[in-house]
Amino acid sequence: MRTTAVREPGGTSYRITGQKIWTSLAHEADWCFVLARTEPGSRRHHGLSFLLVPMDQPGRIEVRPIRQMTGTSDFNEVFFDGAHARVEHVVGGEGGGWRVAMSLLGFERGVSTLAQQIGFAEELGQVVRAALASGAVADPVVRERLVRQWAELRTMRWNALRTLGGSADPGASSVAKLLWSGWHQRLGELAMQVRGAAAGVGPADWSDSAPYELDAMQHLFLFSRADTIYGGSDQIQRTIIAERALGLPREPKG
Ligand SMILES: Cc1cc2nc3c(=O)[nH]c(=O)nc-3n(C[C@H](O)[C@H](O)[C@H](O)COP(=O)(O)OP(=O)(O)OC[C@H]3O[C@@H](n4cnc5c(N)ncnc54)[C@H](O)[C@@H]3O)c2cc1C
């Protein structure tokens, strides 16, 4: 955490200097939140603050899109060169940034995915219809995988409902994230399997001139590669569950 926010003389605003990579939709956002070091010399998760920052600051905020393998750019690298944030736009008080960020991540990994699951059910329906259309459903292995996806979606729903209203279990949102990220990735793989050779992009799209014309299932497959990374990678979720929920020995710090 090297991005800093320094109080300006007069004390009504901060000046932010640093950079932030992988910021989803920064190119469309009017505001973003920035976790910045407000206590000089502080280390690790201490001395951080959670600042709401208006994006319309030409010359002080630069947004550089990152091209993805889908051919589109949904996320960006953002550079802050003396960007301003108002003091009253600190969430959770100065120095309280880590606590706010962890609550936010807990929400992203757990409760927020309740709504996402409506989309998951729709995507599963599309894959089932594609399996019926291609005849792949005649394969007992494909049928078993489809049924497994359906059953796991039900499990996810009940698990996510447990996290509503805040769970006392410190690992609950990490468990939820592990369930949906792997599930969604497997659904993308299954979508490609049921379509067989027709799953690839067409010859007209083989040039370097991305963005390719992707249909919903191709997009599902390619984007779902990121599911086990964003919001905190699967490996990190397992460490959180091991250390905070199961009380196993802490990971050695390098
Ligand atoms: C599509 C997408 C959208 C994103 N949107 C945003 C956004 O809007 N805002 C934002 O702030 N971030 C965003 N991110 C960033 C995301 O949160 C990080 O990419 C993610 O937390 C992983 O961190 P990293 O990229 O630094 O990987 P690294 O920490 O470099 O990890 C690389 C690999 O090493 C493993 N690893 C690292 N440390 C350990 C450890 N201690 N033990 C075991 N394994 C370990 C990881 O699990 C991973 O497999 C986005 C990422 C993606 C892919």
Side-chain angles (χ1 to χ4, degrees):
M1 274 286 327
R2 287 196 290 264
T3 295
T4 57
V6 179
R7 278 240 201 181
E8 294 196 294
T12 56
S13 62
Y14 291 92
R15 266 171 77 88
I16 303 168
T17 307
Q19 90 195 65
K20 172 76 189 76
I21 196 165
W22 311 128
T23 309
S24 299
L25 302 175
H27 56 300
E28 294 188 12
D30 296 322
W31 291 78
C32 74
F33 61 78
V34 177
L35 197 59
R37 202 164 283 289
T38 41
E39 190 186 317
S42 59
R43 292 188 60 240
R44 302 183 58 230
H45 57 283
H46 302 286
L48 304 174
S49 300
F50 193 101
L51 301 148
L52 298 180
V53 182
M55 294 296 281
D56 188 16
Q57 301 194 43
R60 297 178 192 276
I61 297 183
E62 188 193 343
V63 177
R64 292 189 203 159
I66 299 169
R67 197 166 119 183
Q68 300 153 208
M69 64 180 166
T70 49
T72 54
S73 297
D74 297 321
F75 52 40
N76 309 268
E77 185 160 15
V78 184
F79 295 83
F80 301 90
D81 186 7
H84 294 287
R86 296 180 66 83
V87 165
E88 63 266 31
H89 290 160
V90 173
V91 182
E94 193 173 283
W98 186 251
R99 197 169 42 83
V100 179
M102 289 304 102
S103 306
L104 178 88
L105 279 169
F107 176 76
E108 180 180 356
R109 293 166 184 164
V111 174
S112 77
T113 62
L114 274 180
Q116 206 170 311
Q117 285 176 24
I118 297 168
F120 287 175
E122 175 52 32
E123 285 175 336
L124 176 57
Q126 274 179 28
V127 176
V128 170
R129 286 192 291 279
L132 288 166
S134 71
V137 77
D139 180 342
V141 175
V142 169
R143 276 208 304 278
E144 202 223 289
R145 286 184 67 186
L146 287 168
V147 170
R148 187 179 287 264
Q149 291 293 128
W150 182 86
E152 286 176 357
L153 187 56
R154 306 297 295 176
T155 311
M156 265 192 286
R157 178 175 151 73
W158 298 120
N159 193 64
L161 286 170
R162 286 198 314 178
T163 65
L164 266 182
S167 165
D169 177 353
S173 58
S174 294
V175 170
K177 166 97 213 281
L178 275 179
L179 288 175
W180 68 254
S181 60
W183 182 89
H184 200 227
Q185 223 163 57
R186 287 193 297 280
L187 184 69
E189 288 158 9
L190 189 53
M192 297 297 97
Q193 186 184 352
V194 301
R195 291 196 22 200
V201 287
D205 303 313
W206 288 353
S207 67
D208 280 341
S209 59
Y212 317 106
E213 286 297 322
L214 298 175
D215 61 33
M217 278 199 232
Q218 289 164 335
H219 191 272
L220 159 68
F221 171 67
L222 288 176
F223 191 81
S224 65
R225 311 317 299 169
D227 287 334
T228 49
I229 303 172
Y230 68 82
S233 68
D234 275 17
Q235 290 81 2
I236 296 296
Q237 302 319 306
R238 290 195 180 94
T239 299
I240 292 171
I241 294 165
E243 293 181 356
R244 303 208 198 131
L246 302 177
L248 296 177
R250 292 183 72 80
E251 181 183 30
K253 298 285 174 230

